[in-house]
Amino acid sequence: MSEIQNKSVALVTQIEGALADVSPSDRAQSFLERSLDLYFALGGPPEAAAKLVTQARSRAQLRVESAVANVVIELAAASHLSDIDMIQAAYNRLDVELKAERSKK
């Protein structure tokens, strides 16, 4: 795993506890919430969100690795259009959150 992935998993584990007993499907709601945060931050209209869900359900279901790749590609495009480095943005957030979690202990 990459350093950014390891740090991200460490943060989730500090906040939520061990992930050993969690299935990938258990993360689906959290992922959708964070995805919607980005959708709205990019200016996506709320009225279009429900339609997008219906359209997505009508397509063939992708394998997880293909869906993850698609998300990373879209993150790169959104980051580029917003003139930010997506990895640096993640590191900045992780550094703040990990420090905050450590200071709670």
Side-chain angles (χ1 to χ4, degrees):
M1 285 190 222
S2 69
E3 180 184 13
I4 194 84
Q5 185 174 353
N6 288 334
K7 281 189 165 193
S8 298
V9 169
L11 176 62
V12 171
T13 301
Q14 284 183 5
I15 294 171
E16 300 178 18
L19 294 175
D21 296 328
V22 176
S23 71
S25 64
D26 291 335
R27 301 299 307 170
Q29 182 172 339
S30 180
F31 180 80
L32 180 58
E33 289 171 1
R34 300 308 171 265
S35 298
L36 287 170
D37 288 343
L38 179 58
Y39 172 80
F40 294 126
L42 292 171
E47 57 278 358
K51 183 178 178 182
L52 291 169
V53 170
T54 301
Q55 289 172 345
R57 291 201 49 150
S58 67
R59 293 191 303 261
Q61 185 171 337
L62 297 175
R63 293 173 51 125
V64 173
E65 60 269 24
S66 296
V68 167
N70 289 346
V71 168
V72 171
I73 291 165
E74 286 304 317
L75 282 173
S79 297
H80 174 77
L81 292 171
S82 300
D83 196 28
I84 61 172
D85 181 308
M86 65 186 206
I87 299 300
Q88 189 60 54
Y91 276 125
N92 293 347
R93 167 87 192 282
L94 286 166
D95 289 345
V96 168
E97 295 290 335
L98 287 168
K99 286 177 188 172
E101 283 299 313
R102 287 182 188 127
S103 68
K104 289 180 184 179
K105 294 180 180 186

